[in-house]
Structure formats: structure tokens, C-alpha cells
Amino acid sequence: MFLVGLTGGIASGKSTVSKILNEEFKVSIVDADLIARKVVLPGRTGWKRVHRLFGDEILNKDQTINRDKLGEIIFSDLNKRKMLNKALHGLILIEILKQILIHFIRGERFVVLDIPLLFETRIAMNLLSYKLVVFCQSEDEQLRRLMIRNPQLNEQEAKQRIKSQMSTAEKIKLADFCIDNSRDLQNTREQVKIIYNTLNKSKIYVWIRAFLFAGLAFGAFLMKKLFF
């Protein structure tokens, strides 16, 4: 099994591509954003760390994290954003690795890691065989989509969130595959199909599996020599 990293700018359409891969091509997705929500549920280690950093002002009445309030704080203060990343990324990585192991045991050919800030945080980067970037050609269109998705943001706040991430041009340079999500859904679907077919034909998974089995066999041989 090999891993494909899926990322893209905020409101670029990454979730749309993830949904197409999963629903139309039956590719398993490890969603880092869902994991990030899970690790900060009330009472969990992530929740305790976030509460310790930002206090009661980022809590709802039911003690869950108020993501809008937390977003206002971290997107206006780079140091606080770094503090949050440092507090949670280790916990998120552990959960990602657990899910990867489950898919590996099932014998899947490849799995997509949907990680919004893949290049910025470098979470699981060393595990990836390919990197797929979804982007929107027009910054105005990206801004429009973001403000529709997050109506509580004014234009200045929305631009601030876009600028807080690595630029689209830089992400494209680091990508193995790119999808331009500027046009209609059918056009995006066609691009996804081409990339899926390429990934599905890849033989990398054979070499990775052979390497892992060789490592296990060698480990078993050493155990036998040392302890039996």
C-alpha cells in the first residue's frame, strides 16, 4: 500500500475532490480535519491542551471548542497559531498512523491522506509516495467561495485566512499531481478520473509491501537467533 497526500488552499475544492475519490472510485480517505475535531472533544488530551492555551473564551456552553472563536484568535496571531499546531499535531499524527495501519492490514492498494495544511505542517510528509494539490485559478473566486462557506467572515478576515496559508504557486511546485477546480464539477471529475487511473496503475505498492515483508522476515530471523 502507498499513500497519497491531498491538499489545497482554503475553499479551493479539496473536499469535493476527496468526495469524488471516495464515493465514485471507492478510495479510502484518512481525513485529518475530522481527526483534528476528534482529538479536541471535551475531556480528551487535545481539548485540555487547547483549553490551557486559550482559556474559557474559546469554549461553548457544552464545553466543546468554539471553532469560530478559536479561528479568530489564531488567524490574527501567527505565534498563537504555531502554539496550537505544536499542541495538536502530534496527537493528530498518532490517529492518522492508526488509520493507515488499519487500511494496510486490509490490503488496500493506496489510501489518500486528506490534510489541509500538508506542506505547512509537514504532517506525514515522509510517508507519502505522491502529493496531489487542488487549486482555484482565480483568487477572487477562491475568496468568493470562502465567504459563501463561512458567512460570518468579512472580506478582510477571509483574505487574512487565505494569506495565512502557503501560496497556491508554491504548493503546485511541490505537487506530483494538480487539479484545477475553477470550472464546473464535471471538469473536476474528469481530472480526478485521470489521476485515479494513473495511481491505480502504479506498482509502488508492490515494492513497499515487499520491503515491509522482507523487514518482518529479517526481524523474525533475528528473534529466532537471539532467543531460541
Side-chain angles (χ1 to χ4, degrees):
M1 186 183 84
F2 62 91
L3 303 174
V4 179
L6 170 63
T7 193
I10 189 170
S12 63
K14 178 182 58 62
S15 296
T16 299
V17 170
S18 179
K19 185 176 181 180
I20 294 171
L21 284 167
N22 180 247
E23 295 184 358
E24 298 186 24
F25 298 100
K26 309 307 178 186
V27 176
S28 293
I29 308 292
V30 175
D31 190 328
D33 193 48
L34 288 179
I35 291 173
R37 292 172 182 266
K38 179 181 176 182
V39 301
V40 294
L41 289 174
R44 299 197 61 170
T45 301
W47 181 92
K48 293 175 182 176
R49 291 181 180 179
V50 174
H51 182 236
R52 193 180 303 124
L53 286 172
F54 301 103
D56 292 338
E57 66 174 308
I58 51 88
L59 297 181
N60 294 310
K61 290 182 179 180
D62 62 359
Q63 297 299 295
T64 57
I65 302 292
N66 185 320
R67 291 172 64 86
D68 289 337
K69 182 62 178 177
L70 182 60
E72 290 176 13
I73 295 171
I74 65 170
F75 284 110
S76 61
D77 190 320
L78 177 59
N79 289 329
K80 289 183 178 179
R81 188 158 70 247
K82 288 180 177 179
M83 288 166 58
L84 179 67
N85 290 341
K86 184 177 180 180
L88 296 182
H89 282 174
L91 300 174
I92 293 170
L93 179 59
I94 289 171
E95 293 299 322
I96 287 174
L97 293 175
K98 287 179 182 177
Q99 292 193 26
I100 289 172
L101 179 59
I102 291 170
H103 292 297
F104 176 76
I105 292 171
R106 290 175 179 168
E108 298 181 35
R109 183 182 292 261
F110 69 92
V111 171
V112 170
L113 306 187
D114 182 344
I115 305 178
L117 298 177
L118 175 65
F119 297 127
E120 291 89 340
T121 63
R122 302 192 64 82
I123 285 184
M125 277 279 286
N126 58 330
L127 301 177
L128 302 177
S129 296
Y130 300 103
K131 296 174 287 295
L132 168 58
V133 168
V134 182
F135 68 96
C136 185
Q137 286 276 11
S138 168
E139 291 184 4
D140 290 338
E141 176 62 15
Q142 184 182 7
L143 178 63
R144 185 187 72 82
R145 292 179 182 181
L146 178 57
M147 294 184 70
I148 291 174
R149 193 187 76 180
N150 298 79
Q152 77 279 9
L153 299 178
N154 60 41
E155 184 173 338
Q156 182 180 352
E157 290 170 333
K159 287 181 177 179
Q160 188 178 52
R161 295 201 178 192
I162 292 173
K163 290 180 180 180
S164 72
Q165 298 184 351
M166 182 184 289
S167 71
T168 298
E170 289 178 285
K171 289 181 178 179
I172 289 174
K173 288 179 182 178
L174 297 171
D176 299 294
F177 302 102
C178 294
I179 291 177
D180 180 358
N181 192 39
S182 302
R183 296 170 63 185
D184 58 59
L185 181 60
Q186 183 56 35
N187 180 265
T188 298
R189 186 178 284 114
E190 289 169 0
Q191 293 179 73
V192 173
K193 183 178 180 179
I194 292 170
I195 293 172
Y196 167 78
N197 288 336
T198 301
L199 293 172
N200 205 38
K201 292 175 183 177
S202 174
K203 300 299 181 184
I204 286 181
Y205 80 99
V206 176
W207 295 106
I208 292 175
R209 187 168 288 273
F211 177 77
L212 289 172
F213 278 127
L216 289 172
F218 182 66
F221 172 77
L222 288 179
M223 291 285 286
K224 184 176 181 181
K225 287 291 186 181
L226 291 170
F227 300 107
F228 298 98

